[in-house]
């Protein structure tokens, strides 16, 4: 009871720390209002065509203190004012997660404030509840559906509350982000290729080429067949014309993007029909994709959906989403022990 009274009177300051993959990020929130959100991207992976786990964890070690320092400075608060530390416990790369987890544990111990563990996938969804000072925002109402699409995951989730979420569909092989990145690699584009496919697609015709899609029953997805289909298609075309790829890059990108977005939308529409839920959000890195953003916003008109599309800065990995997930756990009094360890795999 006392705790509730003090919460309503005093603002809660949460420091969020994200280090699950190749972005080191720290953010400070006052309640659910973001005061700072600092992200250090790692450039070391570009030459390798994907994230190299060992290099990622080393870069997190170099970045973590400057990033947290900057987040506190940008928020204009001192560490002694923090109410709690929230960190990504998993899923993600273990060596990367260990950096954020170890830092969060020692910082909370040193400051004698609660430690809060956050599930990365739940946090992508809860990014919809991050509020920016001076900006109007309509928050999703429970229950809503969320299509979480990132480099590692593709899921349709019924979001019942800040903590209770149920996966009703997911990929059986590659994630949507992987489908973008692997297709981009075949086209000779740099990692991560998703944003580049999106960029070139804007100039191309989405109906120029068709690629085979794997149809999986129910609400699950499969993207590995698309990659094979693109590979065989290009192998044949390049035999006839060695310049085929260069000459048709925008059309290829638009057609690939359309294939991925259509697959996502078919299952999302089926999920809405099956559950009767018409309040629908998208989250995760691939929710930055302009084709997907347009396809879901069109559903407002055509099917009466109430849609929630995240701001670009909250689509890819960021610590504001970790801090907001931490904030709701703080209100519940759900804290982690100092013995907590990260996990690389797992659901929501
Ligand atoms: O959520 P995220 O930052 O990290 C993971 O948790 O995986 O997502 C990264 C993924 C990458 O696969 C990247 O290519 C993809 O999001 N991505 C995009 C776009 N921006 C990022 N894919 C398509 N279009 C975009 N505009
Ligand atoms: Zn992510």
């Amino acid at each position: 009871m006392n705790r509730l009274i003090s919460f309503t009177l005093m603002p809660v300051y949460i420091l969020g720390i994200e280090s699950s993959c190749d972005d080191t990020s720290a953010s400070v929130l006052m309640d659910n209002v973001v005061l700072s959100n600092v992200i250090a991207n790692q450039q070391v992976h570009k030459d390798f065509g994907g994230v190299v786990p060992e290099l990622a964890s080393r870069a997190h070690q170099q970045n973590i203190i400057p990033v947290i320092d900057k987040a506190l400075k940008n928020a204009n608060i001192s560490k002694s004012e923090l109410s709690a530390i929230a960190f990504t416990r998993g899923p993600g790369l273990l060596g990367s997660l260990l950096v954020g987890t170890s830092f969060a544990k020692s910082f909370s111990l040193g400051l004698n404030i609660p430690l809060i563990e956050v599930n990365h996938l739940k946090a992508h969804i809860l990014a919809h509840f991050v509020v920016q000072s001076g900006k109007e925002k309509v928050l999703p109402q429970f229950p809503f559906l969320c299509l979480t699409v990132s480099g590692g995951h593709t899921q349709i989730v019924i979001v019942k509350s800040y903590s209770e979420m149920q996966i009703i569909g997911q990929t059986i092989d590659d994630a949507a982000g992987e489908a973008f990145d692997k297709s981009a690699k075949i086209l000779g584009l740099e990692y991560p290729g998703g944003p580049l496919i999106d960029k070139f697609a804007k100039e191309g015709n989405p109906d120029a080429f068709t690629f085979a899609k794997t149809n999986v029953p129910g609400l699950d997805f499969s993207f590995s067949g698309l990659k094979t289909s693109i590979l065989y298609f290009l192998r044949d075309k390049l035999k006839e014309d060695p310049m085929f790829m260069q000459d048709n890059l925008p059309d290829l990108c638009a057609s690939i993007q359309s294939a991925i977005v259509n697959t996502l939308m078919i299952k999302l529409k089926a999920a809405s029909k099956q559950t009767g839920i018409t309040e629908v959000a998208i989250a995760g890195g691939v929710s930055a994709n302009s084709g997907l953003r347009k396809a879901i916003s069109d559903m407002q008109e055509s099917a009466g959906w109430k849609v929630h599309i995240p701001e670009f800065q909250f689509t890819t990995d960021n610590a504001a989403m970790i801090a907001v997930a931490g904030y709701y756990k703080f209100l519940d009094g759900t804290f982690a022990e100092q013995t907590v360890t990260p996990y690389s795999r797992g659901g929501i």
Side-chain angles (χ1 to χ4, degrees):
M1 192 63 182
N2 281 345
R3 169 175 266 162
L4 267 180
I5 290 166
S6 68
F7 282 170
T8 50
L9 293 181
M10 289 181 27
V12 173
Y13 291 101
I14 305 279
L15 169 69
I17 300 173
E18 157 62 28
S19 73
S20 67
C21 190
D22 60 338
D23 294 309
T24 319
S25 180
S27 166
V28 178
L29 257 62
M30 185 180 76
D31 298 330
N32 62 345
V33 179
V34 63
L35 302 181
S36 65
N37 187 30
V38 178
I39 304 171
N41 305 114
Q42 300 180 0
Q43 299 304 320
V44 285
H45 310 287
K46 276 213 151 70
D47 296 340
F48 299 92
V51 176
V52 184
E54 177 61 25
L55 295 181
S57 58
R58 283 188 209 186
H60 282 304
Q61 295 211 38
Q62 285 167 350
N63 293 341
I64 196 148
I65 290 176
V67 163
I68 287 172
D69 192 44
K70 196 160 176 221
L72 289 169
K73 284 195 176 118
N74 288 1
N76 202 19
I77 72 159
S78 72
K79 56 183 189 293
S80 61
E81 291 172 89
L82 291 172
S83 316
I85 315 283
F87 70 99
T88 309
R89 184 178 173 201
L93 300 171
L94 209 56
S96 292
L97 289 164
L98 266 169
V99 179
T101 306
S102 313
F103 191 95
K105 282 162 76 168
S106 5
F107 210 31
S108 90
L109 195 64
L111 295 171
N112 196 22
I113 54 174
L115 178 68
I116 301 169
E117 53 138 311
V118 170
N119 175 289
H120 184 83
L121 299 166
K122 277 189 172 164
H124 267 301
I125 296 171
L126 295 176
H128 283 281
F129 295 90
V130 176
V131 169
Q132 290 171 281
S133 175
K135 274 199 179 177
E136 287 259 326
K137 179 162 185 175
V138 181
L139 302 181
Q141 300 284 309
F142 301 116
F144 64 94
L145 288 180
C146 188
L147 172 72
T148 308
V149 268
S150 71
H153 296 86
T154 299
Q155 301 177 332
I156 301 177
V157 180
I158 303 179
V159 187
K160 299 177 182 174
S161 71
Y162 297 114
S163 56
E164 203 188 336
M165 304 190 189
Q166 181 191 352
I167 301 169
I168 55 169
Q170 58 192 323
T171 182
I172 57 164
D173 43 52
D174 290 350
E178 257 178 307
F180 271 107
D181 296 338
K182 286 180 178 173
S183 307
K185 198 172 177 182
I186 298 171
L187 297 177
L189 303 174
E190 259 186 4
Y191 178 85
L196 293 171
I197 292 205
D198 193 357
K199 185 179 137 201
F200 290 115
K202 293 195 172 99
E203 315 292 325
N205 172 10
D207 301 318
F209 309 111
T210 37
F211 302 108
K213 287 174 225 132
T214 317
N215 213 354
V216 195
L219 299 176
D220 287 341
F221 304 89
S222 166
F223 288 105
S224 63
L226 175 70
K227 181 190 60 192
T228 318
S229 166
I230 298 168
L231 261 177
Y232 288 154
F233 172 82
L234 284 175
R235 185 196 58 189
D236 295 344
K237 289 286 179 190
L238 287 169
K239 267 188 213 154
E240 294 162 17
D241 172 11
M243 293 305 287
F244 179 81
M245 219 148 74
Q246 286 90 326
D247 291 347
N248 293 279
L249 194 59
D251 283 352
L252 282 166
C253 289
S255 303
I256 291 168
Q257 179 167 300
S258 160
I260 297 172
V261 170
N262 285 344
T263 304
L264 293 171
M265 289 307 295
I266 287 168
K267 296 296 171 132
L268 194 54
K269 285 176 196 171
S272 170
K273 202 168 169 198
Q274 193 173 304
T275 58
I277 301 173
T278 53
E279 178 136 4
V280 184
I282 50 172
V286 180
S287 68
N289 184 264
S290 58
L292 180 60
R293 291 167 90 90
K294 181 171 182 321
I296 190 161
S297 65
D298 285 349
M299 293 301 289
Q300 291 192 119
E301 279 273 297
S302 62
W305 283 10
K306 191 168 174 195
V307 308
H308 299 274
I309 299 172
E311 275 204 30
F312 283 110
Q313 59 165 325
F314 302 128
T315 56
T316 45
D317 290 347
N318 67 87
M321 68 186 199
I322 305 303
V324 82
Y327 169 66
Y328 291 111
K329 280 193 148 185
F330 185 88
L331 296 186
D332 279 349
T334 312
F335 303 133
E337 300 290 334
Q338 275 292 328
T339 48
V340 67
T341 51
Y343 53 84
S344 58
R345 297 189 164 272
I348 215 159

